[in-house]
Amino acid sequence: MENPENIIVVKNLVKRYGDFTANDNLCFEVRKGEIFGFLGANGAGKTTAIRILCGLSYPTSGKINVAGFDAYTQRELIKRNIGYMSQKFSLYDDLTIAENIRFYAGIYGLSQKVIKSRTNQLLHRLGMEEIRNRLIRDVPLGWKQKLAFSVAIFHNPAVVFLDEPTGGVDPVTRRQFWEMINEAAEEGITVFVTTHYMDEAEYCDRVSIMVDGKIAALDTPQNLKKSYKTSDMNGVFLTLARGE
Amino acid sequence: MPEIAVNNLFKSYGPINALRDISFQVDKAEIFGIIGPDGAGKTSLFRILVSLLLPDKGSVQLAGFDVVKDYAEIRKIVGYMPGRFSLYQDLSVEENLSFFATVFGSSIEANYDLIKDIYVQIEPFKKRLAGRLSGGMKQKLALCCALIHRPQVLVLDEPTTGVDAVSRVEFWDLLHKIKKEGITIIVSTPYMDEAARCDRVALMQNGEFLGISLPGDIHKAFTKTLYELTPGQGAYKLLKALRAEAWCKNAWLFGQSVHLTVNDSASETQFLSYAQREKIEFRKITAGIEDTFMELMKTS
């Protein structure tokens, strides 16, 4: 990597499915410890790009480096060094809280000793010690989302990818979730996050907005609002995504 | 007579009280929004409204018909769009629409004027399987299918969840067109900003309504003085610093700013000198819907 401060480097990323270009020459960098918002309309190509960055699918062309690893030749190393959480699927309903933690930590190869001590610390911090043996399906959504995030960063990944992590939760939980994101960023974990809540874009250090497979804008929320002469990120998003 | 009348509705699943004493009325051609997080009870309420679930206690009338006794009538006059996409994924756009029209003894042609504005947007894909549509397109098709028999009451369970900000704006524009046809709409959403697009809104949490009001009046339920602090940078650090102060009642992040309430007038004095000392810009603001919701959540 040219600049050690960059944890994700994407140069001319192209992904084609037949004659459809899902990612059209994307170029961006994400800095270490940054909260990076990855926004775009449905179908703009966000999921395609995230799958490539997570080592789950091959790019058609371009240079992509995540946490120091190459997206063509070191995909398994990428997977080991990132965390991932999505709204749709994160924890197993028919496992308990403690079992879910042990399962994910085991997948990432942590030792039994480390898993045990970190699990206790984590449950203490989340205030979930009492319910550690409760099945996930019986845990309220807000708690589940907070737990899912903690599990995603349990192995201290260099980057965590969050795909619409706050869908459907109440405004208090949503804010508590973002406080956890801030906390993780302060500890040096880079956060790469997508959301449909435009007010959440304001919590990001920098935001990129994808339109039709391209990155239409990338800057701090303040600068974007200034450039598009609007008071909030919703205005920026609507202007760009509608192509007005 | 109101188009929808809900009286003292209760529903529980074992130990979970999904609905606790819900009552409200909706007028004809009104857009009534129910705003609340997942698990608030919105879906249980809607399933009772469309006669798919029996209440434990209480009653519901739609256009004068009782949802339990007259369920057969209810099903003719209601259009329902469930929260989960429930059209046939292996039928095309056109086939889905014509299926729903036929089930209700109608045809696409008979009510085409009602769905035209929406349908033209998905018509280019009418041969495509419903399962292969994008999120926004699926929602539009589901809305067409719920409308194709020209219902009197349209029940929409989280139609904009997972839909991007642009499609959400378009979706609400459509609802306002449908309202003009005299159709009553009851719609739920977890997105608080959508309150502004409703005629009236109910805030819902844990099976209860926290309040019902005009969108412009929601802030009236917020009775404390609310400060917006704009530190420029480092809002999260400021948040933690504020919460460590004894005079701070509640502090929450709102983008790059912090919304703060203090305990009492003595706390206010302490806050003012703190802000001066730390050189933090602030102003008094009117509470938004999220401020109000969070406040009501705590006191309820």
Side-chain angles (χ1 to χ4, degrees), chain A:
Chain A
M1 236 186 288
E2 293 119 61
N3 184 344
E5 290 301 301
N6 290 334
I7 196 89
I8 299 176
V9 180
V10 175
K11 278 186 188 153
N12 311 106
L13 164 60
V14 174
K15 176 73 180 183
R16 284 195 200 96
Y17 298 102
D19 34 355
F20 177 69
T21 306
N23 289 165
D24 189 357
N25 209 27
L26 306 186
C27 295
F28 63 93
E29 284 110 36
V30 180
R31 297 167 197 146
K32 197 171 184 318
E34 183 171 44
I35 301 176
F36 188 85
F38 196 61
L39 312 185
N42 299 117
K46 298 190 303 277
T47 305
T48 302
I50 291 174
R51 286 180 57 81
I52 293 168
L53 295 177
C54 291
L56 294 172
S57 113
Y58 281 110
T60 304
S61 64
K63 272 183 76 175
I64 297 100
N65 194 295
V66 178
F69 302 107
D70 181 80
Y72 296 88
T73 58
Q74 299 175 303
R75 299 199 308 166
E76 289 312 309
L77 286 166
I78 289 181
K79 287 180 202 166
R80 263 183 241 174
N81 285 279
I82 62 167
Y84 176 80
M85 172 197 167
S86 85
Q87 185 207 339
K88 285 174 199 118
F89 177 79
S90 43
L91 300 170
Y92 290 91
D93 264 345
D94 49 358
L95 295 182
T96 66
I97 289 178
E99 285 167 345
N100 265 288
I101 299 175
R102 201 176 74 211
F103 174 76
Y104 279 96
I107 294 254
Y108 285 109
L110 299 184
S111 73
Q112 286 304 323
K113 208 175 131 197
V114 171
I115 293 176
K116 203 175 164 194
S117 73
R118 274 201 220 162
T119 300
N120 290 334
Q121 280 170 25
L122 173 63
L123 292 175
H124 177 73
R125 202 169 64 230
L126 293 174
M128 294 185 190
E129 287 150 311
E130 302 277 303
I131 55 163
R132 62 184 295 150
N133 294 322
R134 192 180 287 183
L135 291 179
I136 285 296
R137 77 162 75 94
D138 299 327
V139 174
L141 178 77
W143 293 19
K144 214 157 44 179
Q145 297 299 84
K146 285 183 227 169
L147 181 65
F149 177 67
S150 304
V151 166
I153 59 169
F154 197 77
H155 59 296
N156 283 324
V159 195
V160 63
F161 291 87
L162 307 173
D163 198 359
E164 290 176 38
T166 55
V169 305
D170 67 72
V172 169
T173 307
R174 209 148 71 80
R175 284 182 173 73
Q176 289 169 341
F177 194 90
W178 275 95
E179 288 169 24
M180 291 177 75
I181 290 178
N182 271 293
E183 204 64 47
E186 280 190 353
E187 285 163 18
I189 297 177
T190 306
V191 179
F192 190 97
V193 59
T194 75
T195 179
H196 284 314
Y197 289 98
M198 285 308 121
D199 61 324
E200 293 188 346
E202 315 248 357
Y203 297 134
C204 301
D205 295 314
R206 287 189 306 147
V207 168
S208 74
I209 299 178
M210 271 187 85
V211 180
D212 295 336
K214 295 191 178 72
I215 290 183
L218 196 175
D219 211 330
T220 63
Q222 289 90 329
N223 287 344
L224 287 172
K225 286 186 280 184
K226 221 179 282 170
S227 313
Y228 291 90
K229 297 185 178 63
T230 145
S231 63
D232 56 26
M233 284 303 293
N234 199 40
V236 176
F237 187 83
L238 292 182
T239 308
L240 280 168
R242 278 173 163 171
E244 281 162 3

Side-chain angles (χ1 to χ4, degrees), chain B residues 86-88 95-105 145 148-149:
Chain B
S86 24
L87 302 181
Y88 293 93
E95 286 165 344
N96 265 294
L97 193 57
S98 112
F99 173 80
F100 280 92
T102 316
V103 162
F104 286 103
C145 290
I148 195 61
H149 62 295

